[in-house]
Amino acid sequence: MSTSVIASAVGGPSLSQERRLVTAIPGPASEALLARKAEAVAAGVGHTVPIQAVAAGGGVVVDVDGNSLIDLGSGIAVTTVGNAHPAVVAAVQAQVAQFTHTCFMISPYESYVAVAEALNRLAPGDHAKKSALFNSGAEAVENAVKIARKATGRQAVVAFDHAYHGRTNLTMALTAKSMPYKSGFGPFASEVYRAPMSYPFRDGLSGADAAATAILLMEKQIGADNLAAVIIEPIQGEGGFIVPADGFLPALAEWCRAHGVVFIADEVQTGFTRTGAMFASELFGIVPDLITTAKGIAGGLPLAAVTGRADLMDAAHLGGLGGTYGGNPVACAAALAAIEVFETEDLSSRARALGEILFARLHSIQAADPRVGDVRGRGAMVAAEFIDPTTGAPDAALAGAVAKAAIAEGVIVLTCGTYGNVIRFLPPLSIPDALLEEGLDVVAAALAAA
Ligand code: PLZ
């Protein structure tokens, strides 16, 4: 890779790019914080890596005990440009010194408009587009559904098996998995229906056949004339990095267009060069009516957006969309800096290069170990699904054990999947190649030992 990408994104004065363990994980100072967390923070808020983070950048997270962990999770696909990209840091520092907040609905400012312009330019399709900004992915999804309902005058929304769209009430309803996201938190929003997802490793269906099944369900169980929107992650994130079979997404999008149903691509996890394209929709040749974004958009600051067809975006009445903090000026300054980095440092190419390292290594592990049932993803969004080789049943215990062992050895990996049997790799694109390779060595050793 270009060393400038690494050098420019390391963050902090000199964050050494290495895996370094000087204590067990957690070390004593981290343990002290975790004890305070247990006393002070609601038990429902979990953590994957038992450390107290004090610095992060390039491809490492450093803890209070002096351990340096290789980061293959990016804080759940957020720090695509790195945790402390100097361009983001400088933009944030300049903006906080100017003003932290006016509320865009009260006194508008330029950076919000500039982010909207950038998103309208970058989102798939050359039709007229508009955007609105929010705080989180879930909030963007909620607003996309509001816009679709207002624009169509219809109420029903379809989401898919294995979908993840957030933790608010409507987005819990859209999310498929009960534990830990929904269990005990109902009742959920009404007029949400679930359709089968194309999952080539498990359903063995072509994209066309999987789409036909989903479309039949929508026609018979809901009726197109009641359906406001279909929402789908082009590559599912929390659900297990499920890449639909070729043709599935285009067939759904075409059916939606023919029936006046708003097709929403939830690109909260896949967006902003993560999959080797600015948006994953491009990989499948689809042009969504609306896309929701968040995570990678602002280099680690909380920001989210709905972007899409201007006629749909303008359907909501004046004052119908907004929020106190949506499009906060500090987050917008960070987003403008991050977007410039995506484009000028060609991070789509960088994601594809990291993907080559990930796929080469994971395919060779899979060739020697039948417990690795599937390796899938795009760009720097890649996962391995663990199974019982004799039955093909999901092996969540193995995925959990491998992830836990890797973390204990100083490599941050995350699990995912409806069955919890998937380990996902989402390195920051600022990670040096050698560090990614070392991280994969540690995961391979953890698997061999498990
Ligand atoms: N849509 C596709 O991936 C967030 C959430 C993890 P927020 N995914 C990580 C967790 O356990 O909370 C996500 C996503 C997709 C929507 C969201 C929601 O984004 O910014 O977390 O609200």
Side-chain angles (χ1 to χ4, degrees):
M1 75 173 293
S2 78
T3 46
S4 71
V5 177
I6 299 172
S8 71
V10 162
S14 60
L15 204 49
S16 166
Q17 294 298 299
E18 59 172 349
R19 181 171 67 105
R20 184 181 67 239
L21 293 180
V22 296
T23 71
I25 303 287
S30 288
E31 269 196 282
L33 181 77
L34 297 177
R36 280 171 58 200
K37 174 180 182 269
E39 287 298 315
V41 178
V45 183
H47 61 260
T48 302
V49 186
I51 60 167
Q52 176 186 343
V54 293
V60 299
V61 174
V62 175
D63 78 8
V64 66
D65 294 293
N67 300 299
S68 174
L69 289 80
I70 298 175
D71 183 10
L72 304 185
S74 296
I76 325 186
V78 170
T79 54
T80 308
V81 299
N83 311 62
H85 193 291
V88 172
V89 172
V92 165
Q93 286 173 339
Q95 180 57 46
V96 286
Q98 209 65 29
F99 62 96
T100 56
H101 177 82
T102 60
C103 185
F104 189 75
M105 302 184 305
I106 305 301
S107 310
Y109 37 87
E110 196 263 345
S111 57
Y112 184 120
V113 178
V115 170
E117 289 167 346
L119 293 172
N120 299 343
R121 173 173 61 81
L122 293 172
D126 47 21
H127 51 288
K129 284 170 249 164
K130 286 192 168 183
S131 291
L133 304 185
F134 304 98
N135 300 294
S136 71
E139 206 188 343
V141 169
E142 292 258 356
N143 279 279
V145 171
K146 281 165 68 173
I147 291 164
R149 283 177 168 159
K150 185 83 187 200
T152 58
R154 306 173 183 172
Q155 295 186 347
V157 182
V158 160
F160 287 80
D161 287 335
H162 314 290
Y164 183 92
H165 297 292
R167 293 175 180 269
T168 58
N169 189 262
L170 173 59
T171 60
M172 275 194 293
L174 295 169
T175 292
K177 191 174 176 179
S178 177
M179 274 303 273
Y181 307 121
K182 304 169 73 167
S183 183
F185 296 146
F188 303 112
S190 60
E191 286 306 314
V192 172
Y193 299 83
R194 194 160 310 284
M197 175 69 184
S198 167
Y199 191 166
F201 177 63
R202 294 205 169 269
D203 68 16
L205 293 176
S206 71
D209 287 349
T213 307
I215 288 168
L216 187 66
L217 182 150
M218 294 192 282
E219 287 179 338
K220 297 304 168 199
Q221 296 189 18
I222 309 159
D225 50 353
N226 297 307
L227 189 54
V230 165
I231 182 163
I232 190 163
E233 303 152 82
I235 298 173
Q236 289 183 320
E238 305 305 305
F241 282 25
I242 300 166
V243 183
D246 280 348
F248 179 73
L249 293 170
L252 286 180
E254 198 181 302
W255 181 84
C256 286
R257 189 166 309 113
H259 293 89
V261 176
V262 177
F263 182 88
I264 305 170
D266 182 348
E267 294 242 19
V268 165
Q269 191 150 166
T270 50
F272 300 106
T273 74
R274 171 57 57 189
T275 64
M278 187 59 76
F279 295 104
S281 293
E282 298 164 34
L283 302 175
F284 301 97
I286 53 169
V287 178
D289 296 313
L290 300 178
I291 71 169
T292 53
T293 55
K295 288 193 185 282
I297 186 172
L301 275 84
L303 187 70
V306 182
T307 300
R309 275 170 46 195
D311 58 323
L312 297 176
M313 293 297 297
D314 281 342
H317 48 273
L318 179 63
L321 304 176
T324 305
Y325 292 114
N328 168 271
V330 182
C332 284
L336 291 173
I339 290 168
E340 195 178 327
V341 171
F342 294 132
E343 295 196 273
T344 58
E345 296 187 16
D346 188 15
L347 291 193
S348 289
S349 300
R350 179 66 190 140
R352 291 194 295 273
L354 291 173
E356 279 172 30
I357 295 174
L358 284 161
F359 275 112
R361 191 63 202 275
L362 293 171
H363 279 144
S364 85
I365 293 172
Q366 182 187 26
D369 193 331
R371 297 174 299 171
V372 181
D374 196 23
V375 173
R376 57 179 179 253
R378 292 285 187 280
M381 179 174 183
V382 178
E385 174 163 352
F386 294 89
I387 58 166
D388 176 334
T390 54
T391 63
D395 193 343
L398 178 61
V402 171
K404 201 170 169 219
I407 289 168
E409 287 300 318
V411 179
I412 299 175
V413 289
L414 311 178
T415 57
C416 65
T418 295
Y419 315 111
N421 66 324
V422 178
I423 290 188
R424 55 176 152 173
F425 299 92
L426 289 162
L429 304 187
S430 50
I431 193 172
D433 290 0
L435 220 48
L436 174 59
E437 277 156 6
E438 184 180 341
L440 291 169
D441 289 344
V442 169
V443 172
L447 177 62

